[in-house]
Amino acid sequence: MGHAMGRVTDPSRGSETDAGDMATEQFMIDAEQAEAYEERFVPALFRQWVEPVLEAAEVGPGDQVLDVACGTGVVARAAVTLAAPGGSVTGVDLNPAMLAVAHRVEPRVSWEQGDVAALPFPAGGFDVLTCQAAIFFFPDPAGALAEMRRVTRPGGRVVVHAFSSLHAQPAYGPWVEMVTHHAGPEATELLGTYWSQGDPSALADCCADVGLRVLAVRRHTRPAFFPSVEAMVRTEVNATPLRDRLDVPTLDRMLVESHELLETFVEDGRLVIPIAGYTLSATP
Ligand SMILES: C[S@@+](CC[C@H](N)C(=O)[O-])C[C@H]1O[C@@H](n2cnc3c(N)ncnc32)[C@H](O)[C@@H]1O
């Protein structure tokens, strides 16, 4: 998951809140990184979550749909046919490079630049709002949920997707434990952003605080694909400051142990890691 799961050099992050600097510092990605996200990371991980997200969203003909933190638009573009005829789909993201790729791939969606902290839309304009694989990046998740609630009409649906906590990840959890053994306790934090909204009941409490009534929480497990165990380890390490902390012998030992830990997830040479996550649907 490190291809898009790193804490600092992760191109899919819209803002940087690394230790020591909790101020939001915009982290813009370039066109090449956005293309890489679409070509490699969407098929490796993100595409697998579109089905459960749109199932929970129950998009139907005529719906006005907003996909928040849309990235290159994997959810938004799948919603286009569901909302037709008569509906429309808008995708909003902080990063213009992501939006440029999104526009090239699917011009029928209205792509807008904006921050979830202050969505550039009037109140109550959308029937359905989705937010896939992004809530854990937001410096103020409660503020983000309040904005999602504001732009969704009363009786509409807000669907937020997140990955489960590390302890609930069958492959990734033990792997991070092993890395922590070699690289020290900070490794858990460095590799931890993607799992930081892993508790749906905490997110549900947050929803209640901003006036969103939770309708359902559904847990799912979906595969993430890597070319090999070694590719996964190297991507994870290179995507984080772990890169600078590990000497070659330590990295070699980690590689050996990674093969042992993950061998049951190798299929025809390819690593197929189960990723646990959930969708939470709520209504204003
Ligand atoms: C892991 S990507 C997920 C993208 C897309 N939802 C998907 O499933 O492929 C996270 C996205 O969140 C966006 N993002 C991060 N912080 C944001 C913010 N404050 N407002 C809007 N978008 C944000 C990033 O630019 C990035 O495109």
Side-chain angles (χ1 to χ4, degrees):
M1 311 241 309
H3 44 59
M5 298 262 162
R7 184 164 168 73
V8 169
T9 55
D10 179 349
S12 63
R13 297 198 65 193
S15 57
E16 184 55 74
T17 55
D18 201 8
D21 178 13
M22 290 307 288
T24 301
E25 175 191 320
Q26 206 139 303
F27 183 74
M28 285 305 172
I29 65 164
D30 62 27
E32 201 182 320
Q33 289 171 311
E35 292 290 353
Y37 182 88
E38 171 65 17
E39 273 167 37
R40 290 168 52 205
F41 308 147
V42 168
L45 172 68
F46 298 99
R47 183 182 291 160
Q48 280 74 262
W49 289 92
V50 173
E51 189 193 330
V53 166
L54 288 179
E55 203 176 278
E58 297 176 27
V59 178
D63 278 343
Q64 308 296 310
V65 181
L66 176 65
D67 184 32
V68 170
C70 61
T72 54
V74 67
V75 174
R77 59 187 183 243
V80 170
T81 39
L82 299 172
S88 76
V89 182
T90 303
V92 64
D93 198 279
L94 202 53
N95 272 299
M98 289 291 210
L99 295 167
V101 175
H103 187 265
R104 176 175 56 72
V105 177
E106 179 51 90
R108 288 177 298 172
V109 170
S110 165
W111 304 107
E112 309 277 346
Q113 192 192 357
D115 190 331
V116 70
L119 288 170
F121 308 107
F126 296 99
D127 303 297
V128 183
L129 183 149
T130 54
C131 180
Q132 170 173 296
I135 185 92
F136 36 80
F137 287 142
F138 304 153
D140 174 15
L145 289 170
E147 272 298 89
M148 294 185 207
R149 175 189 183 276
R150 182 184 66 79
V151 301
T152 307
R153 71 163 168 79
R157 286 174 302 291
V158 171
V159 174
V160 179
H161 157 266
F163 299 107
S164 301
S165 306
L166 256 184
H167 65 77
Q169 300 296 341
Y172 209 85
W175 185 79
V176 172
E177 227 173 88
M178 182 274 290
V179 175
T180 302
H181 175 74
H182 288 290
E186 313 89 64
T188 308
E189 207 217 329
L190 293 173
L191 294 165
T193 307
Y194 270 69
W195 326 107
S196 61
Q197 288 289 340
D199 176 6
S201 58
L203 196 65
D205 287 348
C206 230
C207 284
D209 289 347
V210 302
L212 280 168
R213 185 166 59 84
V214 176
L215 300 171
V217 172
R218 295 191 190 121
R219 291 179 185 274
H220 300 269
T221 299
R222 288 284 186 274
F225 304 108
F226 295 88
S228 65
V229 170
E230 179 156 358
M232 178 263 190
V233 175
R234 292 202 185 279
T235 320
E236 283 295 339
V237 169
N238 289 335
T240 71
L242 280 178
R243 182 185 51 208
D244 308 319
R245 294 175 189 218
L246 298 172
D247 55 23
V248 173
T250 309
L251 187 57
D252 285 346
R253 273 201 304 280
M254 267 176 49
L255 272 171
V256 170
E257 289 184 33
S258 299
H259 277 285
E260 287 164 10
L261 258 178
L262 300 173
E263 67 185 347
T264 52
F265 302 106
V266 175
E267 295 174 17
D268 299 327
R270 186 170 75 150
L271 180 62
V272 184
I273 287 194
I275 303 293
Y278 66 90
T279 59
L280 178 152
S281 30
T283 187

